[in-house]
Amino acid sequence: MSSSEGKGKDKDKGKNKLDTTRRAHPYDRADFMGTKSARAVNPEVIAKTIKKMKRALLVIGSNLSDEELAKVVEFAKVSGLEVVGAGGVAGRLKDIPNHYMNLHLLVGYIIEGWKGFDGNGKYDALVFVGHIYYHLSPMLRALSNFSSTRLISIDRYYYPSADMTFGNLSDEEFIQALDRLIDIMREE
Amino acid sequence: MEGVFTIKGLENVKIYIGKFSEEEPQGITPMPNIEDLREWDMKLLKRYKPLYTPLSERCTFCTYGPCDLSKGKEGACGIDLKTQQARLLLFTTIMGASAHATHGRHILEHLIHMYGRDHQIEVGASEDKTPNISLVAGIVPKTLGDLESVLTYVEGQLSHLLASLHTGQEGSYLDFESKALHAGMLDHVGMEVADVAQVSALNMPKADENAPLVDIGLDVLDTSKPVIVCIGHNVAAAYHIMEYMEEHRYDIELGGLCCTAIDTTRVDPKRKIVGSLSSQLRFIRSGVPDVVVVDEQCVRTDTVKEASRLRIPVIATSNKIMYGLRDRTNDAVDEIVEDLVSGKEKGVLILDLEKAGEVAVKTAVAIHPQRKDYRLSDPERISELVKDCTGCGNCNFQCPEELRISEAMGAAKQGDTSLLQKLDECCIACGRCEQECPKGIPIVDVIQLSVLPIRKDKSKVRAGRGQVSDPEIREEGRNLVLGVTPGAVAMVGCPNFPGGARELYEVAEELVKRSYIVMVNGCTAMEIARFKDDEGRSLFERYPARFLKGNILNTGSCVSNSAITGAVIKVATIFAKKQLLGNYEEIADYILNRVGAVGVAWGAYSQKAQSIGLGCVRLGVPVILGPHGVKYRRVYVGHTYNKDEWWVYDARDGSKVEIEPAPEHLMITVDSKEELLPMIAKLCIRPSDNNFGRMIKLTNYIELSEKYLGRLPDDWHVFVRTEGDLPLAYKDRLLKILEDEHGWKIDWASKKIVEGPMRRLDVSFQPTNLKKEGRE
């Protein structure tokens, strides 16, 4: 685990600069039964990775406030990622082209080597945001074991089975992280 | 049948008749062994592929381990991660099924002790009084004594299934799945034994659509009287408390938590239901109970610890829950009462239920005057309790519902309790937050205190009505098979609701208004009942309880889940005249292809819910789980892009027919109410729907999708076989979409579909997955 939690220096660090690598433990403390722990990273690392991906899918869940969803939609626009509303959030996705698919079904499809909504080939990365922690975490564990797709979380929670994730963020930090992602994706 | 008789002239010779069955088990697979329905399971598992979501990547079952099974690695015994997940699933399913089966064994033995083996099974106006038992075991039990051999069969099978979990036994995830489905099927048999026995012997409502409305809520008890609360699932102990109270004219409030509560009101509608599992800690902490009596299943394991803090004596009445308490079964009643009232004993174990009833009543009366100061009653204490909160957030990291407890505590420190009050609706009162609080704040109490000034938790639920009768099936079975009634939706499972119970109520209301048959029981019935319309009426007060579209039925406690599967079985046997006895595969095949029934376990938390769900799945009834359901580790999803999986035989000539994906899944989770409702509508679609039925089902699917997901479903067109399938109100719009987006040919003059559907409607179509049913 790359957590720097508990180290005194991080208290000051958090006040001045967004550090999304802090509190890098499973959001549900007991959900720690895997054999690896994800790398907690800052938005810069995630943005760089997403930019490298050829065919990534943004998987949006329902666990977002209106303000957070607006930021996620903005991120989707600037990143140009294909979007799926994976759950009830689909009814709230108004301003961007998007698909609806049940999250469990999507995970099953990815594991089976599904060729995507357009049939043009497998996704090389899935980018998750806005999910219920306990709903997504076991699904990430499934994907990490039964598929080769890159698993990236830009959610407010630390997901141990992702390939990269933020630490557990406060509401304010989450908004800041999304803003930072949007800014970096705009830079080109 | 048992007895002793003598033969004239041989008076000194007595012939003892032990037990014999009047009829041998009948049917194709009577009392099936593990392997007998494997072929059917494999058919299901080929189309509905198990998808595993591991909670753990390790195996720790034997001393070779712990073994790391991640990323394709195998353990020391050779097991891989998928197979280990399926193995764990079988383990938990056996737990669930055996909980019900042993419940059945306990109450059956007790009722035989009270009423004798020859007591008749009587459950209402039905020829098929035990549809699950008859379907699986191939017998028609007539008396309580006849049920014993059924349980012997179930117990034997569960023992074999348990053995297959040992290291070095089963090595195929598909066979573990088949075994789990077997356990699920057995669960419905065990549940049916328990329910028909108690309905027959304890004079519970018998398929009674007019079962009385009874009180439910945390505030329904008259606390000026001594209060006994019974917690658990087995009504036997509560029955003897009621009996003793009646005989000796005690004026005591008897309330219940969990399914025992439901069943006490089935015995005596004067009794009251406090609430579901999530009310257990709340109610004990309220200090209101003067005595807690526990029986079995879903009872908090810290009951004695929690109750003793408030000087509430606990009486354990089952060998499944003994809490380390001293066995006082053979002691004198007055001595036990004295020890409980004085506090010498925090609790006692009494396995003689008549004695337990007397002790509970006498203890409640004696201790009641001493306990008034222990009640949680002063909301002003909140500021004192929360003053030490540091806002560390540890409580948030512990909450299974991901509630923002820390933020609510912070607001309460500033004098604003509104966030705490909002938490109350979603809090399941598990107490995990308190374990992690560095300041030891009793967070559950704080939340409860915040709502005390505003809470009016009093409502009405219909007492469990029991099975669906044959006349009801005759009236409604046809509509259900043809699709004219859009579906029968069973909403079951315990209260691990993702967004609080209100959403469950909203889902039930939406469905019943749309003419679905809504069937509920156990905790779900209790939770739904707590919410009311503007006129203060619960759903049970507003809608009737017949097995008919637009009705809501509370079948009873969780063992009455067997009444739900029993109803769909009876649709096949009564409406379609399929043979019942030992004919599992054919009936399940019929249900899968023709009966639009769906199970919804929105808040399912227990191993029992898992086994109940699997019993539905093997019978061809899809199950939708709330988001917590992912922790069951496996779902069964259909892959619609794989066209090879979506075909059936036409039983008329044995030909293979490509079909629409109906039902698309056999088990899946959804993340929200908004996703749940369209999913219910979709999974009610069956290949056998006639065009009127399909039109009604598609109308609901489209309307619910547009209402809750803001869009037409992507796949609505695959369910269209003819223009007659299209919802009348949107026919032109949908025809246009079919033409423009899907390339179908439309004759606009007649508004007919000329070309496009994967298959045409054939009103005589007889879909089946069983080759033998078709003529080759």
Side-chain angles (χ1 to χ4, degrees):
Chain A
M1 188 190 296
S2 64
S3 168
S4 51
E5 185 189 15
K7 294 179 182 172
K9 63 180 182 182
D10 287 323
K11 287 183 182 170
D12 297 331
K13 210 173 168 182
K15 283 178 189 169
N16 303 319
K17 182 174 176 270
L18 175 67
D19 178 0
T20 56
T21 67
R22 298 165 64 232
R23 295 186 289 274
H25 59 76
Y27 182 79
D28 183 335
R29 286 274 194 186
D31 182 33
F32 198 44
M33 293 174 282
T35 49
K36 72 157 199 172
S37 288
R39 196 174 143 218
V41 295
N42 279 311
E44 289 75 9
V45 178
I46 286 186
K48 199 174 161 186
T49 307
I50 291 174
K51 281 180 178 177
K52 279 186 192 165
M53 294 293 145
K54 293 192 174 71
R55 190 165 156 79
L57 179 67
L58 179 60
V59 187
I60 305 177
S62 306
N63 193 15
L64 292 166
S65 69
D66 289 344
E67 184 192 7
E68 291 160 354
L69 182 59
K71 297 283 182 193
V72 169
V73 168
E74 186 62 21
F75 169 76
K77 285 178 182 169
V78 298
S79 64
L81 295 178
E82 189 176 4
V83 172
V84 58
V89 73
R92 296 163 65 203
L93 290 173
K94 306 288 183 196
D95 301 329
I96 43 170
N98 64 85
H99 311 278
Y100 158 69
M101 188 182 273
N102 172 276
L103 181 60
H104 230 140
L105 186 60
L106 176 69
V107 169
Y109 275 26
I110 295 289
I111 288 171
E112 292 291 320
W114 178 57
K115 298 247 169 64
F117 290 101
D118 57 10
N120 288 337
K122 296 179 189 175
Y123 296 104
D124 58 0
L126 299 175
V127 182
F128 294 93
V129 66
H131 297 274
I132 302 170
Y133 176 83
Y134 61 77
H135 196 210
L136 180 61
S137 184
M139 301 226 199
L140 288 175
R141 206 163 285 130
L143 287 164
S144 75
N145 278 289
F146 306 131
S147 82
S148 56
T149 309
R150 198 97 187 244
L151 305 172
I152 300 168
S153 167
I154 58 168
D155 217 333
R156 72 177 81 237
Y157 305 122
Y158 175 84
Y159 282 104
S161 297
D163 291 306
M164 55 179 65
T165 174
F166 296 146
N168 293 302
L169 307 180
S170 67
D171 291 347
E172 191 185 8
E173 289 169 332
F174 183 40
I175 291 288
Q176 286 174 12
L178 291 172
D179 278 338
R180 186 74 191 116
L181 277 173
I182 292 164
D183 288 346
I184 303 168
M185 297 307 285
R186 275 209 182 101
E187 293 165 7
E188 268 294 82
Chain B
M1 191 172 285
E2 283 184 297
V4 180
F5 64 92
T6 56
I7 298 172
K8 198 172 181 183
L10 292 170
E11 278 79 8
N12 292 328
V13 178
K14 282 187 178 177
I15 298 174
Y16 290 86
I17 302 296
K19 199 173 75 173
F20 65 89
S21 176
E22 287 187 342
E23 48 187 331
E24 287 298 311
Q26 294 175 36
I28 299 163
T29 53
M31 296 195 178
N33 285 315
I34 290 171
E35 67 278 11
D36 289 337
L37 292 166
R38 182 170 179 255
E39 195 180 329
W40 169 247
D41 297 335
M42 295 303 169
K43 280 192 176 76
L44 294 178
L45 296 168
K46 188 165 187 295
R47 186 195 278 176
Y48 303 101
K49 300 185 187 318
L51 167 59
Y52 297 101
T53 48
L55 292 186
S56 170
E57 294 163 342
R58 300 184 177 110
C59 177
T60 56
F61 271 9
C62 79
T63 63
Y64 282 157
C67 290
D68 173 8
L69 307 180
S70 66
K71 306 279 186 188
K73 292 191 278 291
E74 293 179 353
C77 68
I79 202 164
D80 63 19
L81 186 58
K82 262 189 188 178
T83 312
Q84 175 66 4
Q85 300 311 299
R87 184 184 182 198
L88 288 165
L89 273 158
L90 173 59
F91 192 13
T92 52
T93 309
I94 292 168
M95 284 185 208
S98 58
H100 287 137
T102 54
H103 172 181
R105 174 63 75 183
H106 179 270
I107 198 154
L108 180 63
E109 285 180 355
H110 190 68
L111 294 173
I112 286 175
H113 171 72
M114 288 171 69
Y115 299 102
R117 282 197 165 76
D118 292 337
H119 188 88
Q120 294 292 302
I121 291 172
E122 184 44 69
V123 294
S126 292
E127 287 296 316
D128 299 338
K129 297 181 193 305
T130 55
N132 278 283
I133 293 168
S134 299
L135 178 65
V136 175
I139 63 168
V140 181
K142 299 281 197 309
T143 65
L144 294 184
D146 293 343
L147 295 171
E148 290 181 297
S149 61
V150 177
L151 278 181
T152 302
Y153 157 70
V154 170
E155 290 157 351
Q157 290 294 304
L158 289 175
S159 178
H160 281 286
L161 290 169
L162 196 56
S164 71
L165 292 166
H166 193 279
T167 301
Q169 300 252 43
E170 186 56 77
S172 154
Y173 74 92
L174 287 172
D175 269 310
F176 270 130
E177 291 293 348
S178 172
K179 290 178 168 76
L181 292 168
H182 195 61
M185 177 196 73
L186 296 168
D187 189 20
H188 287 257
V189 176
M191 288 192 292
E192 194 167 76
V193 168
D195 209 35
V196 299
Q198 65 181 9
V199 168
S200 301
L202 300 180
N203 202 28
M204 293 177 173
K206 297 173 175 32
D208 181 4
E209 63 187 284
N210 297 311
L213 292 162
V214 299
D215 290 329
I216 181 167
L218 282 162
D219 301 316
V220 294
L221 298 178
D222 178 353
T223 56
S224 66
K225 299 176 186 173
V227 172
I228 299 173
V229 63
C230 297
I231 308 177
H233 284 73
N234 188 331
V235 76
Y239 177 82
H240 288 289
I241 297 171
M242 290 186 276
E243 189 181 53
Y244 190 80
M245 283 163 56
E246 293 287 331
E247 276 178 22
H248 297 83
R249 298 174 183 273
Y250 279 97
D251 189 13
I252 289 177
E253 285 285 81
L254 178 68
L257 284 151
C258 286
C259 284
T260 295
I262 291 260
D263 283 340
T264 55
T265 60
R266 292 169 92 184
V267 174
D268 180 355
K270 293 197 300 295
R271 305 306 161 195
K272 297 170 181 176
I273 300 170
V274 175
S276 68
L277 173 61
S278 63
S279 297
Q280 278 186 33
L281 189 59
R282 278 189 180 95
F283 196 59
I284 292 172
R285 293 268 188 98
S286 76
V288 168
D290 293 307
V291 172
V292 168
V293 179
V294 301
D295 49 82
E296 61 175 291
Q297 302 165 52
C298 302
V299 186
R300 286 189 64 96
T301 52
D302 58 357
T303 297
V304 175
K305 186 177 81 177
E306 288 288 343
S308 64
R309 284 179 185 157
L310 299 169
R311 280 209 62 206
I312 305 170
V314 175
I315 301 172
T317 60
S318 162
N319 60 9
K320 295 192 196 80
I321 301 178
M322 300 197 279
Y323 289 139
L325 298 170
R326 191 147 73 96
D327 186 352
R328 305 293 298 271
T329 305
N330 297 318
D331 292 353
V333 167
D334 290 342
E335 285 174 21
I336 306 171
V337 172
E338 189 183 329
D339 288 350
L340 289 172
V341 173
S342 68
K344 186 178 170 189
E345 300 250 35
K346 293 176 182 175
V348 292
L349 173 67
I350 306 176
L351 297 174
D352 174 341
L353 300 186
E354 289 178 41
K355 183 178 284 184
E358 184 179 350
V359 170
V361 170
K362 287 183 170 172
T363 304
V365 171
I367 206 169
H368 176 69
Q370 303 174 23
R371 288 204 58 271
K372 287 183 178 168
D373 293 340
Y374 288 92
R375 290 187 187 156
L376 192 69
S377 58
D378 183 9
E380 300 299 317
R381 284 182 59 216
I382 291 178
S383 55
E384 175 63 21
L385 292 170
V386 302
K387 71 177 171 38
D388 292 333
C389 174
T390 62
C392 68
N394 284 353
C395 45
N396 290 4
F397 293 132
Q398 285 296 329
C399 180
E401 301 304 323
E402 296 176 20
L403 301 179
R404 302 293 191 89
I405 303 166
S406 183
E407 287 79 346
M409 297 289 282
K413 267 181 91 169
Q414 306 301 317
D416 174 9
T417 57
S418 61
L419 294 182
L420 286 174
Q421 289 165 1
K422 280 185 187 166
L423 288 188
D424 183 66
E425 210 169 89
C426 300
C427 173
I428 55 170
C430 66
R432 268 172 56 176
C433 48
E434 296 179 356
Q435 307 295 317
E436 199 67 21
C437 178
K439 298 296 179 183
I441 298 171
I443 297 169
V444 173
D445 291 4
V446 170
I447 294 172
Q448 194 168 196
L449 281 168
S450 77
V451 294
L452 274 187
I454 55 169
R455 192 179 73 193
K456 289 176 186 155
D457 192 16
K458 292 182 180 181
S459 191
K460 294 281 185 187
V461 62
R462 192 173 298 284
R465 50 152 283 164
Q467 290 186 356
V468 174
S469 68
D470 291 2
E472 289 174 287
I473 298 291
R474 284 189 199 99
E475 185 179 351
E476 187 65 1
R478 184 174 190 278
N479 294 332
L480 205 51
V481 170
L482 298 180
V484 177
T485 293
V489 182
M491 298 178 66
V492 301
C494 308
N496 205 8
F497 307 122
R502 181 178 293 280
E503 289 186 343
L504 194 69
Y505 161 78
E506 290 165 353
V507 170
E509 185 180 41
E510 178 84 61
L511 292 172
V512 76
K513 280 181 174 172
R514 287 179 173 275
S515 293
Y516 287 82
I517 303 168
V518 179
M519 305 174 82
V520 297
N521 57 42
C523 288
T524 294
M526 298 183 222
E527 294 290 347
I528 285 175
R530 290 174 50 216
F531 300 93
K532 302 173 189 172
D533 67 0
D534 293 341
E535 293 171 31
R537 298 173 305 164
S538 76
L539 278 182
F540 298 98
E541 293 172 280
R542 288 155 59 195
Y543 292 94
R546 190 167 173 76
F547 187 75
L548 203 62
K549 63 184 176 181
N551 280 232
I552 180 165
L553 296 70
N554 175 18
T555 53
S557 57
C558 65
V559 289
S560 76
N561 275 295
S562 58
I564 294 175
T565 42
V568 293
I569 291 167
K570 294 209 295 190
V571 170
T573 58
I574 295 174
F575 170 65
K577 303 196 183 327
K578 296 284 180 188
Q579 177 192 322
L580 173 63
L581 294 181
N583 192 25
Y584 193 92
E585 192 179 52
E586 188 183 358
I587 296 284
D589 175 70
Y590 183 89
I591 292 166
L592 177 71
N593 285 299
R594 308 197 204 191
V595 183
V598 169
V600 176
W602 187 234
Y605 93 98
S606 68
Q607 296 87 7
K608 293 189 299 171
Q610 157 93 341
S611 59
I612 293 166
L614 288 185
C616 291
V617 165
R618 196 182 220 189
L619 199 56
V621 177
V623 174
I624 308 171
L625 302 163
H628 281 292
V630 71
K631 290 180 257 183
Y632 283 132
R633 304 181 183 88
R634 183 265 292 107
V635 290
Y636 299 118
V637 291
H639 292 185
T640 56
Y641 64 85
N642 189 353
K643 305 291 181 203
D644 294 345
E645 304 297 347
W646 300 99
W647 59 269
V648 291
Y649 296 105
D650 187 337
R652 294 172 300 181
D653 57 10
S655 60
K656 279 172 106 171
V657 179
E658 193 181 350
I659 55 161
E660 56 279 22
E664 184 176 331
H665 311 295
L666 274 183
M667 187 175 273
I668 195 162
T669 67
V670 292
D671 82 335
S672 57
K673 178 187 86 172
E674 288 73 21
E675 195 180 21
L676 171 61
L677 278 156
M679 186 67 83
I680 291 172
K682 177 156 81 167
L683 295 190
C684 282
I685 296 173
R686 292 294 178 277
S688 66
D689 299 334
N690 71 7
N691 73 293
F692 188 51
R694 182 63 61 88
M695 179 186 72
I696 290 170
K697 291 184 180 184
L698 262 185
T699 301
N700 282 299
Y701 181 37
I702 287 171
E703 286 184 357
L704 288 166
S705 186
E706 291 194 319
K707 181 174 178 180
Y708 291 102
L709 296 176
R711 66 190 66 207
L712 263 179
D714 292 340
D715 58 354
W716 67 271
H717 62 285
V718 305
F719 300 107
V720 178
R721 303 157 300 178
T722 169
E723 57 282 345
D725 289 346
L726 295 171
L728 275 179
Y730 324 113
K731 189 171 180 179
D732 287 358
R733 174 166 71 109
L734 296 176
L735 282 172
K736 190 83 176 75
I737 294 171
L738 289 172
E739 185 177 60
D740 293 349
E741 296 179 17
H742 301 288
W744 291 22
K745 287 186 181 165
I746 310 297
D747 176 0
W748 284 100
S750 61
K751 292 189 177 174
K752 285 187 182 300
I753 296 169
V754 179
E755 192 181 306
M758 173 252 295
R759 73 176 174 101
R760 283 282 175 181
L761 173 68
D762 175 352
V763 290
S764 303
F765 183 40
Q766 305 286 322
T768 173
N769 292 67
L770 305 179
K771 194 171 185 180
K772 58 193 170 194
E773 189 165 311
R775 273 168 287 176
E776 305 240 12

